[in-house]
Structures are given as C-alpha cells and as structure tokens.
Amino acid sequence: MIKVTENSKELEAGLKGRDLLSLLDLTSEEVLYLIDKAIKLKKDTSEGKLEPVLAGKTLGMIFEKHSTRTRISFEVGMIHLGGHAMFMNARDLQIGRGESISDTGKVLSEYLDGVMIRANSHEMVKELAEHTSVPVINGLTDIFHPCQALADLLTIAEVKGSLKGHKLAYIGDGNNVAHSLVIAAAHAGMHITIGTPEGYACNHEVILKAKKLAMFNGGSVLETTDPIEAVNGADVIYTDVWTSMGQEEEANLRLEAFKDFQVNDELVAYAKEDYMFLHCLPAHREEEVATSVIDGPNSYVFQQAGNRLHAQKAVLATLL
C-alpha cells in the first residue's frame, strides 16, 4: 500500500488551514499524504478507533448544483470526526440575491471553521477563497473535482496495492473529472491516457501542467481520439457521463459525437484481464458504459463511491 515519506508531521502541519481548490495547489508528496491519511482513517473507522479530531468545529456546505455523494460524504465525514456540517443552498443565501462574493466570504469566516462549495464557476470559488479566512474546499466546479480524484486514487491503491507505474485510461468527455484525474495520476507517477472525441479534449493548460508533473514523478500523459489506443494494456478504465449538468441542450449532439466511446465488452477486451472499471457516478447505463461492464466483476464503482467518505475525512481532518 502507499506510504508517504517520514515527513508526515511536517506535511500535515503544512496543509493545516489551507484551501483545496485544485490538486495543482498541492505537491505530489501532499497528495500522497492525503491518500495515506484516508487509508488510515478508513481503517480506524472500521475498527471503531476514529478520534473526534473536529469536535466543536462546523463545516458550511454551499451547493449551486445537485449532489448525492458530495453532500452525504462531507456531512457524514464531519459527523465521524466529531464535528457538524451545515447544508446551504446557494439560492437561500444572500449571495443568490446579489451580495458580493467578498462580503460573503468574510461573513462566513466569522461563523464557520471551513467551507465546502459545489459551484458552477471555478473563478467564483477562487474569489470566495481569497476573501475567506477559513479553509475553502472545492466540492466541484466547471473545471476541477479534486476530492473525487483523491477517492479515485484511494480506490486504485486498495485494489492494485500501489499507484506508480500503472496505466489509467480515461474515456469520454474532457471535463472537470478528467482534469482532476489527470493531475492526480501525474502526482502519483501513473501513466494516464485520455481518450476523447475531437472537439471534447481536456483543457490544454491543464494537460501541459499534468505532463510536467508526470515527467517529474516518472509517469506520463497521453491524449488520443482513439478509444482502443487509450485502453490498450490499461490497468484501470475510467469514464464519466457524456452530458454533465448544465449541458442538457447539447445532449443530442454529444450522443452522436461520443457514440464510439462507450465502455463496453468489446472495448475493455483491449485492457489487461484484471483491469478495474471506475465511474464517478451517477452513471447512464447503456450510454457511456454498458451494463455488463459497470455491473461486472471488474467494476469497483461502489467501493469508489464509498471512498469519497474517507477521502473527504482525510481532507477535513487535515485542513480543518
């Protein structure tokens, strides 16, 4: 299993009070430390040894977008760690009626020990963090989904026993999930291939930064428009919905563009026999993934979903 350096205390001290807006904000050592922390907290939870390290602390959770896994995992995570979580629909806050982001951040800092926000705009979340004196955690924006990627690495580490050197294939839309996944894989020294249709590639700047990280850590990043090339010899295959929230008007266009990118029995045959299938959920069966794959013996999507709880706890226990 993953073990970080002997500087764990120094890493934890360096992360305390920080924001988590993107995995680009962290060093590779810090990312692996959070994975190692999640593994320990998951073990402590199962053995009934979890300490209430966040007793008396409150996390405010702001949602501009619907959520199942993000809301529940953060809320339960705070309870597990002895703290409290407060759900706030953005439409119910004054921020939804014109109060400035800066004023909102300053006010929230007076009440809360941390803020988790699931928002439409990454730029808005960055602005909020600039004016908030407590840690701000990105629960999803239009560009990044860092906590999901931490749970993804945790799941791969549990199943494969390590991260470095494994090939990870992402098939589908070059979206926020793909951006955080490619950064996470680069931090871990994995070899990741992103297979997308033409016109749906990842953000070029994100890919360039990921390539530099991967090179430093002994991994690699490859982009292709050929799904077979992407999954060939893969240890892990990952996909996401073709049409994300806010893109509903593009649904028919995307169905046509992505029709050859379904993760099905024919495609996974090019991967290693013991490949693992991941999906951040919710899934549209028989669209981006065949039912036979997501419900098959190589699928770890529910273990992956469950690991959102433990990855979130690692972030909360460290930052707060």
Side-chain angles (χ1 to χ4, degrees):
M1 197 59 71
I2 301 171
K3 296 300 294 181
V4 295
T5 67
E6 296 178 357
N7 300 320
S8 294
K9 290 184 178 179
E10 289 81 357
L11 288 167
E12 179 143 1
L15 285 164
K16 184 178 180 180
R18 297 246 305 267
D19 300 321
L20 177 55
L21 307 186
S22 162
L23 294 182
L24 289 170
D25 300 335
L26 306 181
T27 67
S28 298
E29 202 173 26
E30 288 170 338
V31 169
L32 294 180
Y33 168 77
L34 287 173
I35 301 301
D36 202 43
K37 179 90 169 179
I39 291 170
K40 182 181 184 303
L41 290 174
K42 184 173 182 178
K43 183 174 184 289
D44 289 348
T45 301
S46 68
E47 296 177 354
K49 298 178 181 178
L50 199 62
E51 297 181 7
V53 295
L54 297 185
K57 293 186 181 289
T58 302
L59 176 74
M61 307 189 301
I62 303 174
F63 287 86
E64 286 189 333
K65 289 188 170 187
H66 298 298
S67 170
T68 298
R69 282 149 290 275
T70 299
R71 177 179 176 178
I72 295 173
S73 57
F74 270 106
E75 192 162 340
V76 174
M78 282 299 291
I79 294 169
H80 279 188
L81 295 169
H84 302 273
M86 179 183 297
F87 172 80
M88 297 179 287
N89 190 312
R91 294 190 299 274
D92 298 332
L93 301 177
Q94 294 294 344
I95 194 173
R97 301 180 61 227
E99 184 170 24
S100 70
I101 303 297
S102 60
D103 284 357
T104 299
K106 291 170 185 175
V107 169
L108 293 177
S109 300
E110 296 292 324
Y111 304 138
L112 303 169
D113 300 287
V115 176
M116 188 285 298
I117 181 166
R118 185 176 175 93
N120 295 307
S121 167
H122 192 75
E123 291 304 313
M124 185 273 268
V125 174
K126 286 172 63 178
E127 184 180 354
L128 180 69
E130 288 172 8
H131 298 281
T132 305
S133 60
V134 297
V136 174
I137 301 167
N138 175 5
L140 177 145
T141 66
D142 55 337
I143 303 178
F144 295 115
H145 199 353
C147 294
Q148 175 66 58
L150 291 175
D152 300 337
L153 290 191
L154 171 56
T155 310
I156 296 168
E158 286 179 329
V159 175
K160 295 296 183 182
S162 63
L163 293 170
K164 191 176 182 69
H166 287 297
K167 179 178 177 179
L168 168 58
Y170 176 88
I171 306 297
D173 188 21
N175 58 15
N176 48 8
V177 170
H179 290 158
S180 287
L181 187 67
V182 71
I183 296 163
H187 275 306
M190 300 179 74
H191 302 288
I192 182 168
T193 303
I194 307 289
T196 62
E198 296 214 5
Y200 295 92
C202 288
N203 177 280
H204 183 62
E205 184 178 344
V206 170
I207 291 295
L208 286 180
K209 291 178 179 179
K211 284 184 175 180
K212 289 180 181 179
L213 271 174
M215 186 178 299
F216 179 79
N217 290 310
S220 62
V221 177
L222 175 68
E223 292 182 283
T224 180
T225 56
D226 181 354
I228 293 176
E229 179 185 11
V231 304
N232 189 43
D235 298 287
V236 186
I237 300 176
Y238 195 123
T239 193
D240 190 13
V241 294
W242 292 342
T243 305
S244 299
M245 284 182 286
Q247 300 172 334
E248 287 79 9
E249 292 183 0
E250 304 173 26
N252 290 335
L253 182 65
R254 285 173 170 268
L255 282 173
E256 178 62 27
F258 286 84
K259 64 183 181 182
D260 295 327
F261 286 76
Q262 184 188 80
V263 179
N264 51 34
D265 292 325
E266 182 180 354
L267 185 61
V268 301
Y270 291 92
K272 290 182 179 176
E273 187 174 351
D274 64 345
Y275 83 94
M276 56 186 297
F277 174 74
L278 298 177
H279 191 307
C280 58
L281 303 180
H284 296 162
R285 284 169 168 76
E286 300 306 325
E287 195 166 297
E288 74 272 4
V289 58
T291 299
S292 57
V293 172
I294 193 170
D295 292 337
N298 295 76
S299 178
Y300 294 86
V301 298
F302 296 111
Q303 180 176 335
Q304 176 190 9
N307 278 336
R308 289 289 301 278
L309 172 61
H310 307 293
Q312 256 75 297
K313 284 192 291 194
V315 171
L316 292 167
T318 304
L319 271 57
L320 271 61

